[in-house]
Amino acid sequence: MSVFNYKQRNNIILASIIILGCFLLYALSSLFSSILGAVVLFTIFRPLYINLAENKGWNRSLVALLIIFISLIVIVIPFLTLSIMVVGKISSINLKDLPIDQWISKIDAFAGANLNQPHFAEETLQKLGTFATGLFPSILGSAANTILTLLVLYIILYFMFTQIREFEAGLLKYAPFREQHALKFANALRDSTYSNVLGQGIIALTQGILLANGFWIFGIPDPIFWGVIAIFISFLPVVGAPTLCIPASIVLFAQGHNWQGVALLAYGLLFIGNIDNFLRMIINKRVANTHPIISIIGVFIGLPLFGILGLVFGPVLLSYFLLLMEIYETNRMAADRLERINSV
């Protein structure tokens, strides 16, 4: 006969589950990017899967494989290609062939005379170098790690789709809140994912194309390269692609092309900046409103954890956390009301 009663046995089992769960979470911490990426892609492509597999009766496995192929072609491969292109371009630059010292001297002279910042160019280059180093650690790392992350991501995504009803039923069963709150959280999670991933991706792509076009018009070297850089920087709502027009305009001023510098500055800050605001307004009306503060803080959270993917995963993760806080507050208020009713 056991020395523990029924309640004690349950408490011991619960404590064992918590301890083993902590060990499992620690062991799977390196795969957190894969898990989060699978959740994001599942949220984005779930309507397509439902339409093809359930409404039209297509084979579930084939639909899941089709979605995996689409996500590779549309999202993953272009993103990795752009990242590798940026890193390759940076590594191929031969600083000895460029008049960097002359540019820095001209920019510092201009900034000292007009902005009272005689070391503007030197300090800016140091900050950009630090930022770039932190932005691309995952790309500069081993290719094997990237392949493993994608492999695990798509294995998880495949079973999430092929067993979608069991997966969603399990989430509802073990969710720590009521079913209507779980459905509300699922809808809010979907809107947050669309806003942070699809919405911000459209804005970033548009800003990158516009900036590359502007650099090409005003004679800035490598406009496509800077357009790609603008795509990544556009995920930062305060920095954004228009800020790249500032140093480019300063270079034009230092070279004596004053009207081109003024025109490029106006093009970036007024035209591209307003296009950004216009697109955000449309996305907020159609999908969800992600506050810029969430994007800023999310980026700083995501970059150390996920590298360049943190530009997307950071804001998404922070949005999920805030949604959970909202659900918790709703549950707490409901529990307080129930307690007051029972006490009457």
Side-chain angles (χ1 to χ4, degrees):
M1 182 176 179
S2 175
V3 296
F4 301 107
N5 58 34
Y6 179 78
K7 184 176 181 180
Q8 289 174 334
R9 286 197 297 270
N10 278 347
N11 290 335
I12 293 173
I13 293 174
L14 179 60
S16 301
I17 291 173
I18 293 174
I19 294 173
L20 289 176
C22 291
F23 278 116
L24 290 175
L25 287 176
Y26 177 76
L28 294 174
S29 59
S30 60
L31 299 178
F32 188 70
S33 297
S34 301
I35 298 172
L36 183 58
V39 172
V40 170
L41 293 179
F42 176 82
T43 305
I44 293 174
F45 289 102
R46 181 182 181 275
L48 177 61
Y49 180 86
I50 295 295
N51 181 51
L52 296 179
E54 298 190 357
N55 296 343
K56 295 186 176 181
W58 291 19
N59 182 274
R60 291 174 176 267
S61 298
L62 290 180
V63 174
L65 292 174
L66 176 63
I67 290 176
I68 289 174
F69 178 76
I70 293 174
S71 67
L72 275 171
I73 298 299
V74 176
I75 299 176
V76 176
I77 292 180
F79 195 83
L80 290 177
T81 301
L82 293 177
S83 302
I84 294 172
M85 170 187 168
V86 171
V87 174
K89 181 65 177 180
I90 293 174
S91 61
S92 66
I93 294 176
N94 188 355
L95 296 179
K96 294 181 180 180
D97 297 335
L98 298 175
I100 298 293
D101 293 336
Q102 298 179 17
W103 292 352
I104 293 176
S105 300
K106 290 182 178 180
I107 294 174
D108 284 340
F110 177 85
N114 297 277
L115 305 176
N116 196 25
Q117 294 187 18
H119 302 290
F120 174 80
E122 183 179 354
E123 294 174 355
T124 302
L125 285 176
Q126 292 177 352
K127 293 178 181 179
L128 287 176
T130 303
F131 178 75
T133 302
L135 190 60
F136 297 100
S138 59
I139 303 299
L140 296 174
S142 63
N145 184 56
T146 302
I147 294 174
L148 177 63
T149 299
L150 289 175
L151 181 62
V152 174
L153 185 156
Y154 280 119
I155 290 175
I156 296 173
L157 185 64
Y158 174 82
F159 287 106
M160 289 172 71
F161 276 130
T162 55
Q163 301 178 11
I164 185 171
R165 293 308 173 193
E166 295 85 348
F167 171 69
E168 293 180 344
L171 290 179
L172 287 176
K173 180 179 179 180
Y174 294 104
F177 28 74
R178 301 171 65 181
E179 183 174 347
Q180 62 266 32
H181 293 156
L183 295 176
K184 178 183 177 182
F185 173 74
N187 292 330
L189 184 146
R190 177 200 60 201
D191 293 342
S192 175
T193 303
Y194 284 174
S195 177
N196 283 290
V197 179
L198 295 181
Q200 190 58 48
I202 292 172
I203 292 174
L205 183 62
T206 303
Q207 286 194 341
I209 293 173
L210 291 175
L211 184 127
N213 182 63
F215 276 25
W216 174 72
I217 292 174
F218 293 103
I220 300 297
D222 293 325
I224 296 178
F225 168 74
W226 291 113
V228 173
I229 293 293
I231 291 176
F232 291 116
I233 295 181
S234 294
F235 283 93
L236 303 174
V238 173
V239 180
T243 55
L244 287 177
C245 293
I246 298 176
S249 299
I250 293 176
V251 171
L252 291 176
F253 284 129
Q255 294 176 346
H257 306 302
N258 293 332
W259 77 266
Q260 291 95 328
V262 173
L264 179 58
L265 193 62
Y267 174 81
L269 298 182
L270 299 180
F271 180 68
I272 298 180
N274 286 321
I275 287 292
D276 172 75
N277 295 330
F278 175 73
L279 290 176
R280 287 184 189 277
M281 181 178 64
I282 294 177
I283 291 169
N284 291 341
K285 286 183 178 180
R286 291 181 175 269
V287 183
N289 183 13
T290 300
H291 198 280
I293 294 297
I294 295 178
S295 299
I296 297 169
I297 298 177
V299 166
F300 283 104
I301 293 172
L303 285 177
L305 293 175
F306 309 110
I308 195 170
L309 296 177
L311 293 172
V312 176
F313 285 168
V316 169
L317 194 62
L318 183 57
S319 297
Y320 291 175
F321 173 77
L322 294 177
L323 288 173
L324 285 173
M325 293 289 291
E326 181 181 349
I327 295 296
Y328 169 78
E329 181 66 18
T330 303
N331 282 343
R332 188 184 63 81
M333 293 175 63
D336 291 343
R337 287 196 300 268
L338 182 61
E339 185 177 350
R340 287 196 298 268
I341 292 174
N342 294 332
S343 63
V344 173

